[in-house]
Amino acid sequence: MKHLLSISDLDRAEIEDLLTLAAEFSSVLERDIPKVPTLRGRTIATVFFEASTRTRLSFERAAKALSADVMSFAPGTSSVTKGESLKDTVLTLEATGADLFVVRHESVGAAARVAGWVNGPVINGGDGAHQHPTQALLDALTLRQRFGKLDGLKVGIVGDIANSRVARSNIDAFTKLGAQVELIAPSPLLPVDLSAFPVTVSGSLEDSLPHLDVVYLLRVQIERGSGPILPSLAEYGLRFGMNRQRLQMLPADAVVMHPGPINRGVEITADVADDPRSLVLDQVQNGVSTRMAVIFRLLGAS
Ligand code: CP
């Protein structure tokens, strides 16, 4: 693996290798000194043209836990404000010493473009509504920890599928690992063409809940235009939000997931977000070890 741009770059064995390595790094992170010297002298650049809390900070924590240095690029305080291009920005970072690039950008394909310009490996930290591969890996790790394996799991992905890079990455990763995925959404939030997706589709959350092992709620992507096509966020929450009453419709050992950031009261009520059956913070925690595993494999460390 030279880059990680999409879950389609990985087959099942490669995904399982990364999850196994991530589980080993989870143990490292529980030590008194949660650090290994593996990447001493290497430098990771986080190049985020879109806002992020979880992805950027967990990549930076992961790099430091591997003893790498971090260059944290923020466009608003950079020469991008003077008109510098994406290409000149990443070439400048590489000339400054970056060995690996984590790229988030609003444009589909931006990380792939960067991979064509720089010599080092590139990790896609989210490109438009296209892909967010490390989110899918950390979600798969979280499910593997809870259920042992994904084979046969019934996962309902709920909400703004049309605009969600998380949905696209997770459908691919979950089905490669043997899960069955159902998309649950109002029709305006579904992609126009679903023929490429190995999924079933439902328009009713309440019909689906009793047969799900996992209900995975997506954030409504207002910034990608979802707001105006819904009557209101309140009405969306009434039909497709997870609340206490709907939690009780799930099988007893089913779990609730959300990639974050959460709009409490829209996709999920505050009491459900904080319920013991919610894995939201397990997902965040697993982001660090998962990203350690990806960085480690891409830099060829041993
Ligand atoms: N899940 C996720 O990508 O969160 P951030 O936007 O905070 O990185």
Side-chain angles (χ1 to χ4, degrees):
M1 176 171 68
K2 162 76 173 149
H3 307 285
L4 179 58
L5 303 174
S6 166
I7 289 294
S8 62
D9 295 340
L10 303 171
D11 61 22
R12 178 174 180 148
E14 289 168 317
I15 293 173
E16 288 182 337
D17 165 68
L18 287 168
L19 300 187
T20 300
L21 185 57
E24 290 171 20
F25 282 133
S26 296
S27 309
V28 168
L29 293 168
E30 286 166 12
R31 294 180 191 162
D32 289 342
I33 300 174
K35 224 170 159 71
V36 287
T38 318
L39 294 184
R40 220 161 23 202
R42 312 300 291 274
T43 299
I44 312 300
T46 52
V47 187
F48 278 54
F49 284 81
E50 277 191 335
S52 169
T53 298
R54 280 148 285 271
T55 309
R56 180 202 277 272
L57 293 180
S58 62
F59 265 113
E60 294 183 358
R61 172 92 208 283
K64 290 171 186 172
L66 292 166
S67 298
D69 295 317
V70 174
M71 290 164 61
S72 185
F73 169 84
T77 53
S78 76
S79 288
V80 168
T81 60
K82 303 174 202 163
E84 190 162 38
S85 68
L86 176 60
K87 180 174 183 177
D88 285 330
T89 297
V90 294
L91 291 178
T92 298
L93 291 171
E94 187 159 61
T96 313
D99 296 303
L100 178 149
F101 301 80
V102 184
V103 178
R104 172 172 286 192
H105 201 285
E106 65 186 2
S107 299
V108 170
R113 294 283 285 166
V114 173
W117 295 324
V118 297
N119 294 309
V122 176
I123 301 172
N124 184 359
D127 61 329
H130 178 225
Q131 278 282 314
H132 192 352
T134 57
Q135 179 72 45
L137 293 171
L138 72 89
D139 288 333
L141 177 63
T142 305
L143 288 175
R144 204 170 83 159
Q145 279 174 348
R146 174 56 67 115
F147 294 101
K149 58 183 182 179
L150 274 73
D151 290 289
L153 278 187
K154 295 185 175 62
V155 183
I157 300 182
V158 184
D160 191 0
I161 317 286
N163 290 302
S164 177
R165 54 196 177 207
V166 174
R168 284 169 181 76
S169 298
N170 284 20
I171 290 167
D172 196 3
F174 291 173
T175 55
K176 275 179 174 160
L177 293 171
Q180 296 164 28
V181 175
E182 182 155 84
L183 304 183
I184 305 161
S187 48
L189 295 185
L190 285 169
V192 175
D193 182 7
L194 281 165
S195 57
F197 294 97
V199 297
T200 55
V201 179
S202 163
S204 166
L205 179 58
E206 288 175 357
D207 286 352
S208 296
L209 289 174
H211 64 253
L212 294 178
D213 300 299
V214 182
V215 57
Y216 192 106
L217 304 149
L218 296 170
R219 184 172 64 84
V220 179
Q221 310 258 313
I222 303 292
E223 75 276 24
R224 295 192 215 288
S226 302
I229 60 175
L230 294 170
S232 74
L233 286 181
E235 184 174 325
Y236 172 83
L238 284 177
R239 283 192 61 206
F240 290 95
M242 200 65 194
N243 56 30
R244 175 68 44 194
Q245 192 185 358
R246 290 182 178 141
L247 191 66
Q248 286 160 0
M249 297 171 75
L250 284 167
D253 57 355
V255 296
V256 177
M257 299 174 77
H258 190 302
I262 291 171
N263 293 310
R264 288 180 182 235
V266 180
E267 304 103 27
I268 184 166
T269 55
D271 59 336
V272 174
D274 299 333
D275 188 271
R277 294 168 73 182
S278 161
L279 301 185
V280 169
L281 291 178
D282 301 80
Q283 294 171 258
V284 175
Q285 187 173 19
N286 283 330
V288 181
S289 55
T290 301
R291 287 160 177 142
M292 287 174 77
V294 173
I295 293 169
F296 182 92
R297 280 284 177 261
L298 286 174
L299 284 178
S302 59

